[in-house]
Amino acid sequence: MSQAQAESVIKNIIREIAQECTNKGETVSETLVAFIVKAVVLDPRNEFNVDRTLTKTDVQNLIKLCVDRLLDKNSVSLETIKMQVYFDMNYTSRAEQLSGGLSALRSYLICISADSCNDQRFLHSFIERLHYSKVFHYLLKLRGRERENMFLTLMFVSAALQSVFPQTELGTFLSLNKKNKEHQLKELTMIVTGIRLFNRDCGKGGEGIDNLPAVLNEAIPATTKQIDTELHISLHLSFCYTATLEKKAWDTQSENLSNQLKEALYSVRQHVVFLRIILAWVLLCTELCGVYVKNPNKSVWCVSFCLKKKKKKKKNLVVPHFIAVSNLWTGFQNELVLLSVLSNIAVNLQPLMEIHKKLFPLDMLQHLLEDIIVKTDEERIQETKENRVNSSDFRNQEWLFPETTANFDKLLLQNRGFCSYTFAKNGVLLPGNPAIGILKYKENYYSFSSKEAAYAFANNPDKYITMTMEKAMQHAELIQLLELYQFFTSVTPHSEKKNKIGGRLLIKPITRCDSSTQTDTHILESNIVKSYEWNEWELRRKAIKLANLRTKVTHSMQANLSHMRRENCSQVYLPKDVGTQTKRENSSNVPKPQIFLAGLRGNIPKATHMVKVNLTRAVDET
């Protein structure tokens, strides 16, 4: 069976299950049905073999099991799965929430840009459409009241728009390309928004704009209080269920009640996880709003200062401050949208917890808790804080402790930090105490609720990991609660879509993949000799250059700038002493020539007559 045929078969199964539920008065989404199908196939008690193609009998059996499970009104496990599906389908990251909120605004810019680029014939009517149709609808997104003071709102927006974009500049605007037009329209919107907000702060306009800081100041504490209340209720229920399961000695007759208590514990623990995620984002909104509240007054003051100082009101001085005011107000809008989304998610999760009141009313729960001390997670951790693991008892295993491990509190613990031994043994979720010691096994980190549990798990980790997987197969909601996706590659968050191969409902783990590695060029310390040269012709050239330098004279000089600043020195080759040696020493003497010239001082009228007299005497006469 090809991949397309397998996908078609699975979609038909999901549609048939959904239609069967609808016929019986229960409307379910296809996403929920797909998750239930995976849960039914994973459960070994249903005896489905994922390594072969499903037969017609298997399909009919699968549909019947899924429909029965979806129609079970008293199933806590089903409510937990519904909670997981709803949260995964509606909760997205902060960036995705903001991008979704701005998609409508971007569509207006695209429409305006398309008209600006393509509709050149209706030049005179463009301003009218620009003012009263699309740009107005885009700019009026800041108004909080849809119908009140609509005339004043339109009037103030029109005045602000005319002050920064008069009709005389329309021709220049239409001559721009599409990209520049979009940029100009976006900047125009921000400037007009900044002008409206500044006028509102000065008391000269701004009708139709809600006071978002005041709205947030009321909404954030209310939302935080609501989530805190629900969080404390769910935590208290989890403490009660845990204490009951931990202390009661269940017999075979009350095994059904024990299973219901475990499923209820899984449900409230999942609810606590989701509420803590939502509360963390609400607290982040609170911090960001605190930053935004400080900045608007400063930006508005800058605008007022520029307008008072410059009588001509130069645009290049005032416009950046208008844009800053608009950006800050957009931040308020984003936080308000995010707060609304998070609050709606928390409210919609609450009905899925009503089944606890039905199965375990208050009087029944009090009866179960007779003579039992209910402990919180913090109290359990404090009781076992001093009883730590001795790492010397384990030679081949690595234990991590707070004082010897960097970023100890940031380690990603398996089973979401719950005790791995207690859950594998009894199916009870007890909070792990990292201070006891964290076991590192096959690049995974495991925490435990007591020293005894840590020793028992460390003696045979593979056994208890297998037991954890078996319990997760029987209760599919544990896969997401305990984050066991590495063991069940076919079960992923619902937002991620996987292909179905070979007509099977599950995908086998991938055992081969394309990968690449990168190593350092020089692992050892580098020892590069800069003077090394491998080319013999380059060595010859350097030798000739050195030989020529021997015949040169080194010069040095001093200038006014270098005088008395540094010492200059030069090096030259000094002349060498040369001498000869002979066998005998001899000398000779010659006469000293003496010549006298007479008659050079004669009278002027007469010609000079010079007489040369040789007075040289022989050597033997001296």
Side-chain angles (χ1 to χ4, degrees):
M1 184 181 294
S2 64
Q3 180 177 347
Q5 292 174 338
E7 291 180 356
S8 177
V9 170
I10 294 173
K11 289 181 180 179
N12 291 334
I13 293 175
I14 293 174
R15 292 194 190 100
E16 189 171 349
I17 295 173
Q19 184 63 38
E20 188 72 19
C21 293
T22 304
N23 295 337
K24 294 183 179 182
E26 184 70 21
T27 303
V28 293
S29 64
E30 292 188 358
T31 306
L32 177 61
V33 174
F35 195 96
I36 294 297
V37 169
K38 291 181 180 180
V40 170
V41 174
L42 276 177
D43 194 341
R45 294 171 296 185
N46 296 326
E47 298 181 352
F48 281 101
N49 187 2
V50 297
D51 292 329
R52 64 177 178 83
T53 303
L54 296 177
T55 63
K56 186 175 181 180
T57 305
D58 294 334
V59 172
Q60 295 298 326
N61 188 26
L62 174 62
I63 293 175
K64 182 180 182 303
L65 290 173
C66 292
V67 171
D68 292 342
R69 188 162 183 178
L70 287 169
L71 296 179
D72 189 358
K73 300 296 183 180
N74 297 324
S75 175
V76 183
S77 177
L78 178 61
E79 297 299 310
T80 307
I81 293 175
K82 288 181 179 180
M83 184 193 310
Q84 293 173 345
V85 171
Y86 173 79
F87 188 84
D88 200 26
M89 294 296 293
N90 291 273
Y91 178 80
T92 56
S93 64
R94 179 183 177 89
E96 292 176 351
Q97 289 286 356
L98 294 180
S99 62
L102 295 176
S103 60
L105 298 183
R106 292 195 186 98
S107 64
Y108 294 117
L109 282 178
I110 294 174
C111 295
I112 296 171
S113 300
D115 289 346
S116 304
C117 297
N118 303 326
D119 199 3
Q120 299 288 347
R121 294 174 297 176
F122 304 100
L123 181 62
H124 298 288
S125 62
F126 179 76
I127 279 291
E128 183 178 355
R129 296 199 312 276
L130 186 69
H131 279 197
Y132 297 100
S133 177
K134 297 175 181 177
V135 172
F136 265 15
H137 197 59
Y138 180 80
L139 298 179
L140 294 178
K141 281 293 177 181
L142 282 178
R143 70 179 185 272
R145 294 174 294 275
E146 192 72 22
R147 298 179 181 178
E148 297 180 7
N149 299 327
M150 179 59 68
F151 177 76
L152 292 177
T153 301
L154 294 174
M155 183 179 65
F156 284 118
V157 173
S158 178
L161 188 61
Q162 284 286 348
S163 64
V164 295
F165 187 64
Q167 297 185 13
T168 55
E169 297 183 3
L170 181 60
T172 304
F173 173 79
L174 293 176
S175 64
L176 300 176
N177 56 29
K178 183 178 181 180
K179 184 177 180 180
N180 290 334
K181 285 179 183 179
E182 292 180 358
H183 176 73
Q184 292 292 336
L185 287 171
K186 182 178 179 180
E187 185 174 326
L188 174 65
T189 304
M190 297 172 69
I191 296 172
V192 172
T193 302
I195 294 174
R196 293 183 64 201
L197 292 170
F198 174 73
N199 292 336
R200 175 184 173 276
D201 187 77
C202 297
K204 299 180 180 179
E207 279 73 8
I209 302 178
D210 283 336
N211 189 357
L212 293 186
V215 173
L216 286 170
N217 288 335
E218 296 178 0
I220 290 177
T223 304
T224 305
K225 182 179 179 180
Q226 173 193 355
I227 297 175
D228 274 332
T229 302
E230 296 179 6
L231 182 60
H232 282 88
I233 294 174
S234 295
L235 280 174
H236 178 70
L237 284 176
S238 67
F239 300 153
C240 295
Y241 295 152
T242 303
T244 305
L245 289 169
E246 188 180 21
K247 296 298 182 180
K248 286 287 185 180
W250 301 100
D251 52 17
T252 56
Q253 295 179 355
S254 58
E255 184 178 357
N256 186 29
L257 179 60
S258 175
N259 292 332
Q260 287 184 344
L261 281 172
K262 290 179 183 180
E263 292 180 354
L265 176 61
Y266 304 153
S267 178
V268 293
R269 285 292 185 181
Q270 184 67 82
H271 191 232
V272 168
V273 170
F274 290 156
L275 289 180
R276 283 176 174 171
I277 294 174
I278 296 173
L279 185 60
W281 281 109
V282 173
L283 295 179
L284 179 60
C285 292
T286 306
E287 295 178 3
L288 294 177
C289 289
V291 176
Y292 293 147
V293 167
K294 297 178 181 178
N295 292 331
N297 295 332
K298 180 180 178 181
S299 300
V300 172
W301 180 86
C302 291
V303 174
S304 302
F305 180 78
C306 293
L307 292 178
K308 292 178 181 178
K309 187 175 180 181
K310 300 294 182 180
K311 295 182 179 180
K312 295 183 179 180
K313 302 180 183 180
K314 295 183 179 180
K315 287 185 178 181
N316 56 351
L317 297 177
V318 183
V319 166
H321 298 295
F322 283 139
I323 295 177
V325 173
S326 176
N327 288 332
L328 290 171
W329 200 259
T330 302
F332 282 120
Q333 287 183 311
N334 294 337
E335 300 307 321
L336 189 60
V337 171
L338 289 173
L339 190 65
S340 176
V341 172
L342 295 174
S343 178
N344 289 335
I345 293 176
V347 170
N348 292 329
L349 289 178
Q350 186 60 31
L352 300 175
M353 300 295 295
E354 295 297 327
I355 192 172
H356 294 272
K357 298 179 181 179
K358 178 181 178 182
L359 295 180
F360 303 101
L362 184 60
D363 54 349
M364 179 181 179
L365 194 60
Q366 290 177 351
H367 174 70
L368 293 174
L369 292 173
E370 289 181 357
D371 301 328
I372 297 178
I373 299 176
V374 179
K375 300 178 183 179
T376 64
D377 291 346
E378 291 75 13
E379 292 173 349
R380 293 176 181 274
I381 292 175
Q382 289 297 327
E383 289 178 354
T384 59
K385 188 175 183 180
E386 303 299 331
N387 195 10
R388 304 180 62 180
V389 173
N390 188 4
S391 58
S392 60
D393 296 338
F394 304 91
R395 295 183 179 180
N396 300 325
Q397 292 177 340
E398 183 180 359
W399 290 87
L400 306 178
F401 299 96
E403 63 276 4
T404 59
T405 306
N407 298 325
F408 182 81
D409 56 338
K410 297 181 180 179
L411 293 177
L412 184 61
L413 301 178
Q414 293 296 309
N415 302 328
R416 207 182 280 272
F418 293 107
C419 179
S420 302
Y421 171 80
T422 306
F423 174 74
K425 192 73 175 178
N426 305 321
V428 180
L429 296 176
L430 289 181
N433 186 2
I436 294 176
I438 294 178
L439 174 63
K440 183 179 180 181
Y441 182 73
K442 294 182 179 180
E443 301 303 323
N444 294 324
Y445 304 96
Y446 298 89
S447 61
F448 308 96
S449 59
S450 63
K451 180 180 178 181
E452 294 75 13
Y455 274 68
F457 185 90
N459 289 330
N460 194 353
D462 292 328
K463 171 185 175 182
Y464 294 103
I465 293 174
T466 303
M467 293 171 64
T468 301
M469 294 172 58
E470 291 175 354
K471 284 184 170 54
M473 289 180 182
Q474 297 177 6
H475 303 277
E477 66 271 17
L478 290 171
I479 298 175
Q480 182 168 346
L481 173 60
L482 302 182
E483 297 178 329
L484 301 176
Y485 302 118
Q486 69 274 20
F487 301 112
F488 302 93
T489 55
S490 61
V491 181
T492 56
H494 315 293
S495 57
E496 299 179 8
K497 295 183 179 179
K498 299 292 184 180
N499 294 327
K500 313 299 185 297
I501 301 176
R504 300 170 185 170
L505 295 176
L506 300 177
I507 302 176
K508 288 188 176 182
I510 298 175
T511 57
R512 292 181 297 175
C513 64
D514 295 333
S515 62
S516 61
T517 59
Q518 185 176 2
T519 57
D520 294 334
T521 305
H522 300 286
I523 300 177
L524 301 178
E525 183 180 357
S526 61
N527 185 19
I528 301 176
V529 181
K530 301 295 183 181
S531 60
Y532 172 75
E533 185 60 56
W534 63 271
N535 193 344
E536 58 180 338
W537 291 100
E538 183 66 19
L539 293 173
R540 181 175 179 274
R541 187 185 69 80
K542 291 181 179 180
I544 295 174
K545 182 178 180 180
L546 293 175
N548 291 336
L549 288 176
R550 293 178 61 87
T551 62
K552 307 300 180 182
V553 179
T554 304
H555 297 276
S556 64
M557 60 183 297
Q558 267 189 326
N560 292 332
L561 297 178
S562 63
H563 178 61
M564 297 298 292
R565 293 194 178 185
R566 63 184 178 89
E567 295 181 357
N568 291 337
C569 60
S570 61
Q571 185 178 5
V572 297
Y573 291 98
L574 298 177
K576 61 183 179 178
D577 296 335
V578 181
T580 59
Q581 187 178 8
T582 59
K583 293 182 179 181
R584 63 178 181 176
E585 185 177 355
N586 196 3
S587 63
S588 60
N589 196 5
V590 295
K592 181 178 181 181
Q594 293 182 352
I595 298 174
F596 178 76
L597 300 177
L600 293 178
R601 297 180 180 178
N603 296 328
I604 295 176
K606 297 181 180 181
T608 301
H609 180 69
M610 182 187 71
V611 179
K612 178 179 180 182
V613 182
N614 188 4
L615 300 179
T616 303
R617 299 179 66 184
V619 176
D620 54 352
E621 293 181 357
T622 59

